[in-house]
Amino acid sequence: MSSPFSPADQAAMRQALALAEQAIGLSDPNPRVGCVIISPQGHMLGAGHTQAAGGPHAEVMALRDAQAQGHDVRGATAYVTLEPCAHHGRTPPCCDALIAAGLGSVVSAVQDPNPQVRGQGLARIAAAGIATATGLLEGEARELNIGFFTRMLTGRPFVRMKIAASLDGRTALEDGRSQWITQEAARRDGHAFRKRASAVLTGIGTVRDDDPRLDVRLVDTARQPLRVVIDSRLEIPPQARILQPPGEVLIYSAGAQSGDLRAEVVALPGPNAKVDLTAVLDDLGKRGINELHVEAGRKLNGSFLREGLVGELLVYLAPKLIGPGREMASLPALPSLDDAQTWRWIDCQPVGSDLRLRARRGIGA
């Protein structure tokens, strides 16, 4: 079956997707959206991407760009990586702005999963007599906003677990020393994934052993992700680097409270005096967290994996053999290989002298 979209349509949407990528580390909790406006003759009239929350969306930015250049957009086609919104949030509905501009057609990559939109934006545009279409490069558009889709459909963020390990699967020596198993290029790449995330999560064990900052430093970003610590007994030292600026800090405990920390403390008790990790994800979803980036130790990694809460494994393998040391995750012994968790590879590529592997087990989007 032939595609209803032409090569020119695909080229325009790829331009819009490239613009949407510029909203990474900027637009959360809003989705990353790009928009280009093309004349009937195939000329670019305007382009834009979603700004920080409360700022203009991609469609409005593209319309403003066209106006600033003195272009008339009447009869033109807008290519948008996500269905134009149809509700009043921090900004007015984008579908109304496109209708008022007198466009000839609107093409979206994918329908907005937000229950407040979900087809209503395109329906309102079509009702105004403007031609609409959707489904152009849908897979790429969904992947760019995998966290937003997951949160809209499940109420929880998409969880990506990052692990740096040796070829024999060790994340540290037996005494806990782990700096550095991977090289600078892999660490920089890991910071790019931190930038993608709305929040970065670790456990009190990692805070005690490594005293990490868990901010984004090795790549440029307009926004620091929320830093989250799982600390059942609230043992975090007040001088811990993760509590220092920049960025906000959220600590989940099993009941303990404290007013002496530079952080919000939330009690979410679970079994065995531990933090309820499912409740953590529910709470982060309510806070608008789209992608959660986990950088923790073997115990917390094991807990997330055992409970089936991880959507993606992001593993950096160094060409080193360490021998006895700490494993990637503390998992129980299996009665048989048939009981093993099964993942599927989605990416494998060298990053400097190390190897980056990505695997998924099933996603909400």
Side-chain angles (χ1 to χ4, degrees):
M1 183 177 178
S2 61
S3 170
F5 302 109
S6 69
D9 291 327
Q10 295 193 33
M13 189 61 79
R14 291 202 181 280
Q15 289 178 299
L17 285 167
L19 285 164
E21 289 181 356
Q22 296 180 31
I24 292 174
L26 174 66
S27 65
D28 283 43
N30 293 331
R32 303 143 183 169
V33 183
C35 176
V36 297
I37 301 174
I38 306 296
S39 73
Q41 294 76 34
H43 303 306
M44 173 82 76
L45 302 180
H49 63 76
T50 307
Q51 301 299 296
H57 291 186
E59 299 91 329
V60 172
M61 292 296 293
L63 290 171
R64 289 181 180 178
D65 183 43
Q67 183 180 36
Q69 297 183 67
H71 294 315
D72 185 352
V73 301
R74 286 176 296 180
T77 299
Y79 294 86
V80 193
T81 60
L82 186 69
E83 176 186 4
C85 64
H87 66 294
H88 282 271
R90 294 185 178 94
T91 60
C94 291
C95 63
D96 291 349
L98 295 175
I99 292 169
L103 291 168
S105 59
V106 174
V107 179
S108 73
V110 63
Q111 187 182 90
D112 192 330
N114 188 336
Q116 294 181 292
V117 184
R118 201 171 291 173
Q120 297 178 54
L122 289 174
R124 192 182 301 179
I125 292 170
I130 298 173
T132 64
T134 191
L136 175 57
L137 302 182
E138 178 176 353
E140 289 92 328
R142 288 171 66 93
E143 180 65 27
L144 183 62
N145 281 300
I146 190 169
F148 180 74
F149 272 82
T150 301
R151 181 169 66 87
M152 287 295 111
L153 296 172
T154 71
R156 299 175 181 172
F158 179 76
V159 179
R160 179 180 290 110
M161 177 176 286
K162 180 255 184 178
I163 300 172
S166 62
L167 275 179
D168 48 353
R170 302 302 178 186
T171 60
L173 300 177
E174 286 186 307
D175 61 8
R177 284 179 292 165
S178 62
Q179 296 181 329
W180 296 101
I181 289 178
T182 55
Q183 300 303 307
E184 178 69 19
R187 297 197 291 274
R188 188 180 306 110
D189 194 69
H191 276 239
F193 277 93
R194 283 186 190 176
K195 176 180 176 177
R196 284 187 60 102
S198 307
V200 179
L201 180 146
T202 194
I204 183 60
T206 298
V207 172
R208 283 196 300 251
D209 291 345
D210 298 338
D211 195 20
R213 290 163 58 179
L214 286 189
D215 56 356
V216 179
R217 303 183 303 280
L218 302 183
V219 297
D220 293 333
T221 185
R223 170 195 58 85
Q224 287 292 337
L226 174 69
R227 289 171 292 174
V228 181
V229 182
I230 304 297
D231 185 3
S232 296
R233 293 188 292 271
L234 206 59
E235 299 170 317
I236 189 168
Q239 69 273 16
R241 293 203 300 168
I242 199 170
L243 296 175
Q244 307 308 313
E248 300 300 317
V249 183
L250 173 62
I251 300 175
Y252 289 105
S253 78
Q257 298 288 334
S258 172
D260 300 328
L261 298 172
R262 183 193 166 273
E264 179 184 357
V265 179
V266 175
L268 290 177
N272 303 316
K274 299 291 186 180
V275 173
D276 186 332
L277 296 181
T278 298
V280 166
L281 295 188
D282 289 336
D283 186 61
L284 290 174
K286 292 174 183 176
R287 293 170 182 263
I289 301 301
N290 292 328
E291 292 185 24
L292 176 64
H293 183 89
V294 176
E295 290 195 33
R298 55 184 174 176
K299 293 181 180 179
L300 188 54
N301 283 352
S303 296
F304 267 97
L305 290 166
R306 284 195 305 274
E307 295 185 34
L309 302 177
V310 180
E312 178 177 314
L313 291 172
L314 170 67
V315 181
Y316 295 91
L317 284 183
K320 301 174 182 177
L321 296 174
I322 289 179
R326 298 187 178 181
E327 69 270 33
M328 295 183 182
S330 296
L331 296 171
L334 297 177
S336 75
L337 285 175
D338 293 337
D339 297 303
Q341 291 189 13
T342 301
W343 297 70
R344 58 185 176 88
W345 299 117
I346 63 167
D347 180 48
C348 175
Q349 68 178 68
V351 178
S353 60
D354 301 310
L355 185 65
R356 186 183 74 195
L357 304 171
R358 294 171 64 201
R360 290 187 183 160
R361 194 191 172 191
I363 57 177

